Amino acid sequence: MNYENKTILTGVKPTGTLHIGNYVGAIKPAIEFGHQVNQNGKHIMFVADYHAINAIKDAPLLRQLTKEIACAYLACGLNPEKSLFYKQSDVPELFEMTTILMAYTPKGFMNKAHAYKAAVDKNIARGEPNDAGINMGLYTYPVLMASDILSYDTDIVRVGKDQVQHVEIAADIAGAINAHYEKEVLKIPASYLTESAQVLPGIDGQKMSQSYHNVIPLFGSDSEIKKTVMSIKTDCQDINDKKNPDDILLYHIARGIAPESVVAEIKEGLEKGGMGYGTIKKMLLQAILDEFSEKRE
Ligand code: TRP
């Protein structure tokens, strides 16, 4: 894509303690994308902490998670001299803008938002009243997100599939305002879909996710990381058996995170037989420590 003079924006919600699956699937690609954009456009990245209040009501926890995600992006290479990088709650104008946008936003736009509809469907399935447990923050989530986007004259919003509708709603709100004043008051944003990010398996072979308790923490201590790597699930094939690397969980994790030369060595060891799982775990551990020790520091 040509980013000449384009403003590209992405928001990340602080949701949980970060793990190397987040790094491989989201943080690293976002930073690399930012580097590309920076060469001839404007890259904006922020932590959407006020969006997170809808779900996280524990202030110290939210502060901690916000700090963690900001530190992770900076430690992993986001250059704040080149990318505009901020915490949403530090920009009060965004919340003024949200109030203004509300006055032009048809309520029907919110009724059709996927996240709200999914919450209603869940209530109906449980025999609860339609809006049980749904707060106005969730209901009007797309307006705050429109403010995030429209306040910066954003051309392109980099998002995953689940957020595309929110960008469309932002475009519709901008369109409604432009139509009202019969001129381009606000820039109409488009979305740029992130390719289906690489999914790293966790230590039990399911997708690495906090909710499965199978993560290798991004900023764990050496001993925590060692403990999780050593507990990666293995089978009981003999050390000398020739193995298909694609069947081996350790190999899949290594492929996501270790340098190519290490991955090649593990592949050969498995195919030929003779390389034990303990040895592979040590190689993987070393690769992870090499990748993250400095960033963690
Ligand atoms: N809603 C996004 C998410 O859950 C985060 C977000 C908030 C965002 N504001 C944004 C993303 C503006 C892009 C643009 O992932």
Side-chain angles (χ1 to χ4, degrees), residues 9-13 46 48 51 141 145 148-149 157 159 163:
L9 171 139
T10 310
V12 286
K13 221 167 36 174
F46 68 96
H51 272 113
Y141 188 108
M145 189 154 153
D148 290 330
I149 296 167
V157 189
V159 281
Q163 298 295 316

Side-chain angles (χ1 to χ4, degrees), residues 59-73:
L61 176 66
L62 182 54
R63 249 178 249 126
Q64 171 63 24
L65 296 177
T66 301
K67 193 168 153 190
E68 253 179 54
I69 198 157
C71 289
Y73 274 92

